[in-house]
Amino acid sequence: MGGIELALLGAALAVGLAGSGSAIGAGIAGQSAAGVVSEDPDKFGQTLLLQALPMTQGIYGLLTGLLIMIEIGIFAGETVALTPEQGRYMLMASLPIALVGFSSAIYQGVASAAAIGMIAKRPEEMGKAITFPAMVETFAVFAVLVSLLLLLRM
Amino acid sequence: MAIVEMKKVSLLGHRQERERIVDLLHRTGTVELVDVAESDIWPELEPLLELEQTSEAVARIESRLGEVRYCLDFFQRYFPVRKNFVQQLIGNKIEVTGDQFSGAADQFSEVSAVYTTCRDAEERLTKIRNEENRCRNMLEELRPWVGLSLPLEQIRSSVFVEMGLGAVPLLSYPAFKEALAARTADLYLEEVSADKDQIYLFYIFLAADLELVQPLFKEALVSPVTFPDTEGAAAEASLALEKKFAELVAQRGAIIAQVEEMLARRPQLMTLYDHLDNERAKNEAAANMARTQSSFVMEGWVPAPMLESLGKVLQDGTTTAVLVSRDPGPREETPILLHNRAPIGAYEVVTRLYSVPRRDEYDPTPFMAPFFFLFFGICLADVGYGITLSLLAFLLSRKIRLAGMGKQLVNLFFLGGIGSAVVGLLQGGYFGDLLDLPPLWFNPLDDPIRMLIICFILGLVHIYFGMGIQAYRSIKAGRALDALFDQGSWFVLINGLIMMALPFPALSAVARWAAVIGAASLVLTQGRRQKGLLRKIISGVGSLYNITSILGNVLSYSRLLALGLSSAVIASVINVLAMLMAGSIPGFLVMIPILVVGHFFNLMINVLGAYVHTSRLHYVEFFGLFFEGGGKAFRPFGLKTKFVDVVE
């Protein structure tokens, strides 16, 4: 594979894996949210907020993917010549968010689902309910940070 | 002081003035009532006083409240009030004036009529629904027989002839037909209709053959069909039923229209509901009192700054009320009311969402506010986004009457917008790179490592600040040694380690000594509460392990950079995508919506992220150092409403 293909593989992994994780996580949280809202339609706003939490990983992945695409000049219309070494570097740089994004989004979805259950019983405890899923996201934040630092330093 | 000082008050009055006094307390809304029977003075008073019972008035109000609630529920069922997204988060109360509110009870007789009408309407609707169901079922039963021209009442067996209707399963039909033809002398068989499972049959044969034929019916699983109450052919009967059904639908429409006419009463009902609910609360307040033949006593908590005005209100409004106040005892748990001036007050919502402080703790709000402002700003870090967020928050606070936590949250976002505009100026973010203005300081996209180090330094300052507050608390409580051992040692050790890592050889000797002294002091002191030398040593050495958690806490502040970068990079990606379209007029028409929708989406996602992660940095990294919470919030006896806002 040439440099461009490797870089694109990196972009595809970042967007694809982190996005899949977010889709699963948001799906898990969404099931709980729908259950709560069927009992109390007024909780739609609160539960939607909690369902949105595991979606950030997908955005981090998208961010990393788009950054790679900008670097290799996809949007400029003309791709830059990339050596296989540079391509491999970009592929490696995309891995942190691809891997951690996938797993953390799923588990954040599980935590969000539990938090939604908490809101069903105690709607006044929104602050605490948001904090538990936010703990899980810490690792996705670290991963995207490393991915971004690697890409921006190129 | 951010936690408002509380006074315990006892209120004495004449029974004749009880209602008036309770009303005044309810109106001022500054007292949290306490059950006299749980008070520490009760054992002394018990022989003299008896506890007040809640009156029949409560039962009467409850029954009225039930009627109003029934009407509101009924309306909600047929004409639901839907809340939009914003209203779901912050509520949608209707506004009424004070006069309308206090006058609501006078209209109870009118409302009673509404109740009767609702009751009646619901009864009739239920009847109609049952009738509709019956019609629908009957039509369903008749459908297969519509093709049969014989009037249904004429299908009867006689002495000589067996005549009837039946549904035969498709599978057994051919065999059944054959056998039937073979065993009867004379047979009329009409296949009226068929569906995917069954064939619907009309049959006539001689009664003499009945004994021979009966087993065939059983074998083929023929289910007999009868229409005992129907006259005329199936088609005619269906038409009549359909007509009746249409009539029922019209009747229901008429009843619902009648209900809709009463819908104008809904605001009045809502007002009355809240009014009655507050009246009930006033009457139930009596449950907290004790009385003699002609006097009563009640107890409660009053915030010290409001004590004087409460005393004045009681003095002016009554002739017998006596208010006695005292300071709370050292072990008494007082309710906690937070009070911080604007703009710090906005950040109370962050504290309250975590927990209200205990009486012996500091309110963390004023310590937290500047950090929250700064961290939120770094997470969003864009002039355009900041101004948009502040504007949105401003418009929201203008458009909707907000109170309490909702108001504080909107203010917090308003301030957060300002913070991110300031940080955006420093870092040169204007909707990402839409405006290419140079940063006042530097752009983290150009030098992310520099920004990362700044985040770590901010984190360290934040953590030191929290440790400082805890040290100050210990010193204030006369435990200066605790402060020295628990916070001082860590401070020396961490600073020593940091200096060792810095590339200054001149400092390295000092740094090494600082680290060693800090670590030694931790090993020697952290086991001081354990018994036995071995345990002391193990806890002391074990405490050094906490260095990893402190390191982890500092690293956690790198999220500030990550969130700032992600908002900036997504913004510039949106700009890149939009610019791809630029160059022609149709392209321009596509470009504008991409920019508007894209940036709005990015703003919402990043505001959520900034709020969540800044809160988390405070809850986990900062509060853990000096704040536990677990206090009981001050809940004054006063106006509480579900549907209406009373405005003067």
Side-chain angles (χ1 to χ4, degrees):
Chain A
M1 269 195 280
I4 293 287
E5 285 81 1
L6 287 168
L8 284 179
L9 177 60
L13 285 177
V15 179
L17 281 178
S20 304
S22 279
I24 299 173
I28 294 170
Q31 283 180 346
S32 289
V36 170
V37 171
S38 69
E39 288 281 315
D40 182 0
D42 284 351
K43 295 214 171 81
F44 179 68
Q46 283 181 313
T47 51
L48 189 71
L49 208 65
L50 286 165
Q51 197 202 353
L53 291 179
M55 285 160 65
T56 30
Q57 281 85 345
I59 293 167
Y60 296 151
L62 177 73
L63 171 66
T64 311
L66 288 173
L67 208 58
I68 293 178
M69 286 157 75
I70 289 175
E71 296 247 350
I72 62 177
I74 297 268
F75 295 112
E78 216 174 295
T79 49
V80 293
L82 223 54
T83 64
E85 284 73 31
Q86 286 171 318
R88 274 201 289 279
Y89 180 95
M90 285 193 174
L91 173 59
M92 298 298 164
S94 75
L95 288 182
I97 188 56
L99 298 176
V100 183
F102 182 72
S103 59
S104 73
I106 296 172
Y107 285 101
Q108 190 171 11
V110 174
S112 276
I116 287 165
M118 184 173 156
I119 286 303
K121 286 186 189 148
R122 296 172 170 269
E124 71 281 3
E125 298 289 8
M126 190 65 186
K128 286 163 199 160
I130 281 190
T131 308
F132 293 125
M135 302 299 280
V136 185
E137 191 171 314
T138 302
F139 307 100
V141 173
F142 291 163
V144 75
L145 183 67
V146 170
S147 287
L148 286 184
L149 287 177
L150 288 171
L151 286 171
L152 291 172
R153 293 280 278 181
M154 257 192 86
Chain B
M1 194 60 184
I3 296 180
V4 179
E5 190 193 340
M6 286 285 162
K7 297 272 191 190
K8 186 83 173 258
V9 296
S10 302
L11 203 162
L12 245 86
H14 195 274
R15 286 196 71 190
Q16 279 178 351
E17 270 198 321
R18 198 188 80 185
E19 217 163 297
R20 168 136 194 80
I21 291 170
V22 169
D23 203 45
L24 281 174
L25 291 180
H26 185 263
R27 198 170 306 160
T28 52
T30 50
V31 189
E32 176 172 328
L33 296 179
V34 183
D35 194 349
V36 173
E38 282 166 21
S39 150
D40 47 355
I41 53 169
W42 180 243
E44 289 170 48
L45 296 176
E46 199 176 353
L48 307 172
L49 302 176
E50 57 179 306
L51 288 174
E52 187 75 273
Q53 303 294 323
T54 48
S55 55
E56 301 149 26
V58 175
R60 205 174 57 238
I61 294 172
E62 291 266 13
S63 88
R64 290 181 165 195
L65 208 52
E67 292 186 12
V68 178
R69 195 186 298 119
Y70 174 84
C71 293
L72 286 171
D73 286 349
F74 182 70
F75 286 158
Q76 184 66 21
R77 222 165 26 243
Y78 288 96
F79 300 96
V81 181
R82 300 207 186 279
K83 299 179 181 178
N84 65 29
F85 187 77
V86 175
Q87 287 171 337
Q88 282 182 0
L89 289 176
I90 53 187
N92 59 337
K93 292 187 176 177
I94 55 171
E95 289 183 9
V96 297
T97 65
D99 288 343
Q100 278 175 329
F101 189 73
S102 48
D106 304 337
Q107 299 157 346
F108 183 72
S109 55
E110 294 171 44
V111 168
S112 220
V114 175
Y115 172 72
T116 321
T117 321
C118 284
R119 253 337 243 272
D120 184 47
E122 172 142 65
E123 222 165 85
R124 283 190 290 158
L125 283 171
T126 314
K127 242 183 229 162
I128 288 176
R129 194 174 316 118
N130 291 342
E131 195 69 3
E132 274 178 359
N133 283 342
R134 218 181 56 78
C135 272
R136 205 174 294 130
N137 292 343
M138 198 63 198
L139 275 170
E140 199 57 42
E141 280 176 40
L142 279 173
R143 182 162 309 141
W145 308 104
V146 169
L148 192 68
S149 52
L150 198 66
L152 293 168
E153 72 273 15
Q154 292 182 13
I155 302 177
R156 279 199 300 256
S157 302
S158 65
V159 184
F160 303 108
V161 187
E162 275 298 318
M163 188 191 311
L165 303 174
V168 197
L170 226 42
L171 279 174
S172 53
Y173 181 63
F176 171 70
K177 191 178 166 186
E178 215 169 289
L180 202 60
R183 288 197 199 176
T184 48
D186 205 355
L187 173 72
Y188 175 75
L189 204 59
E190 181 180 340
E191 292 163 18
V192 180
S193 67
D195 60 22
K196 63 184 184 4
D197 305 315
Q198 289 177 313
I199 285 193
Y200 299 92
L201 279 186
F202 170 54
Y203 56 81
I204 311 173
F205 53 84
L206 292 176
D209 296 330
L210 186 61
E211 251 172 69
L212 270 173
V213 168
Q214 232 161 11
L216 290 179
F217 276 74
K218 249 183 213 161
E219 207 175 293
L221 301 171
V222 178
S223 30
V225 179
T226 53
F227 293 101
D229 303 326
T230 316
E231 292 194 354
E236 289 162 34
S238 284
L239 270 180
L241 277 172
E242 262 160 30
K243 205 169 146 204
K244 189 174 174 197
F245 191 79
E247 256 168 47
L248 288 171
V249 169
Q251 272 178 29
R252 190 175 54 179
I255 295 175
I256 288 181
Q258 216 178 344
V259 174
E260 197 170 7
E261 267 171 40
M262 291 189 303
L263 219 53
R265 297 273 186 177
R266 178 135 70 176
Q268 197 185 350
L269 285 166
M270 287 172 159
T271 315
L272 182 60
Y273 180 91
D274 277 343
H275 178 85
L276 287 173
D277 201 35
N278 278 289
E279 288 301 313
R280 184 180 53 101
K282 280 186 209 171
N283 278 289
E284 276 178 352
N288 294 313
M289 302 177 186
R291 65 180 171 94
T292 65
Q293 199 70 39
S294 52
S295 71
F296 72 93
V297 61
M298 59 204 291
E299 287 212 308
W301 293 102
V302 180
M306 297 170 189
L307 189 59
E308 202 178 319
S309 67
L310 178 69
K312 199 163 154 22
V313 166
L314 287 172
Q315 205 176 15
D316 293 351
T318 69
T319 47
T320 61
V322 181
L323 192 68
V324 188
S325 72
R326 64 173 174 85
D327 289 325
R331 292 191 163 276
E332 234 171 332
E333 194 193 345
T334 64
I336 304 293
L337 175 68
L338 302 180
H339 178 73
N340 291 284
R341 279 171 204 287
I344 289 173
Y347 295 91
E348 266 175 27
V349 62
V350 182
T351 307
R352 283 160 71 181
L353 281 174
Y354 182 80
S355 176
V356 175
R358 286 197 318 265
R359 191 181 151 201
D360 59 341
E361 289 183 317
Y362 291 117
D363 174 10
T365 312
F367 307 122
M368 175 190 68
F371 287 102
F372 202 102
F373 177 79
L374 179 64
F375 291 173
F376 190 97
I378 296 176
C379 289
L380 206 52
D382 193 290
V383 179
Y385 288 173
I387 291 174
T388 315
L389 178 61
S390 290
L391 271 180
L392 285 176
F394 179 73
L395 289 178
L396 202 63
S397 66
R398 266 299 150 93
K399 202 161 165 246
I400 303 165
R401 280 174 50 84
L402 290 163
M405 300 228 277
K407 187 177 176 184
Q408 289 175 347
L409 199 61
V410 169
N411 284 344
L412 180 141
F413 284 131
F414 178 75
L415 293 168
I418 295 176
S420 63
V422 171
V423 178
L425 273 176
L426 292 173
Q427 303 189 341
Y430 300 86
F431 291 111
D433 53 1
L434 195 63
L435 293 183
D436 202 7
L437 297 175
L440 293 185
W441 192 14
F442 74 97
N443 188 337
L445 282 169
D446 300 331
D447 194 354
I449 297 301
R450 186 162 161 208
M451 191 61 209
L452 187 62
I453 291 169
I454 291 172
C455 290
F456 289 154
I457 293 173
L458 283 174
L460 207 58
V461 170
H462 202 209
I463 287 173
Y464 279 165
F465 189 59
M467 280 164 55
I469 297 169
Q470 178 60 26
Y472 180 77
R473 276 183 70 195
S474 299
I475 293 169
K476 259 274 187 98
R479 300 190 308 262
L481 279 181
D482 279 358
L484 183 66
F485 294 155
D486 295 341
Q487 279 83 38
S489 317
W490 278 113
F491 188 71
V492 173
L493 172 62
I494 297 167
N495 282 336
L497 290 175
I498 291 169
M499 282 194 293
M500 276 167 73
L502 294 178
F504 300 126
L507 279 177
S508 70
V510 184
R512 210 169 301 139
W513 276 111
V516 168
I517 290 172
S521 134
L522 282 173
V523 170
L524 289 176
T525 62
Q526 290 306 294
R528 66 184 185 277
R529 294 209 173 81
Q530 302 288 339
K531 284 185 184 132
L533 189 62
L534 191 66
R535 281 205 193 142
K536 278 184 199 293
I537 292 172
I538 290 173
S539 324
V541 175
S543 76
L544 284 180
Y545 184 70
N546 282 333
I547 193 87
T548 56
S549 76
I550 289 182
L551 190 72
N553 283 353
V554 173
L555 287 180
S556 175
Y557 288 81
S558 63
R559 75 184 69 233
L560 295 176
L561 169 66
L563 292 171
L565 279 185
S566 91
S567 93
V569 174
I570 293 178
S572 33
V573 167
I574 292 165
N575 294 336
V576 168
L577 290 177
M579 292 312 158
L580 283 179
M581 303 295 164
S584 63
I585 291 175
F588 189 74
L589 291 178
V590 181
M591 186 181 100
I592 298 295
I594 292 184
L595 283 178
V596 173
V597 174
H599 282 301
F600 186 74
F601 174 76
N602 192 26
L603 175 65
M604 287 298 124
I605 286 287
N606 278 289
V607 166
L608 178 64
Y611 170 72
V612 167
H613 286 281
T614 308
S615 298
R616 181 227 125 101
L617 281 178
H618 284 93
Y619 292 163
V620 181
E621 273 78 13
F622 189 58
F623 282 1
L625 295 165
F626 69 97
F627 179 67
E628 268 178 56
K632 195 163 65 72
F634 178 61
R635 293 187 200 286
F637 170 63
L639 188 65
K640 286 193 187 62
T641 59
K642 191 172 164 191
F643 298 113
V644 299
D645 263 331
V646 183
V647 289
E648 292 309 321

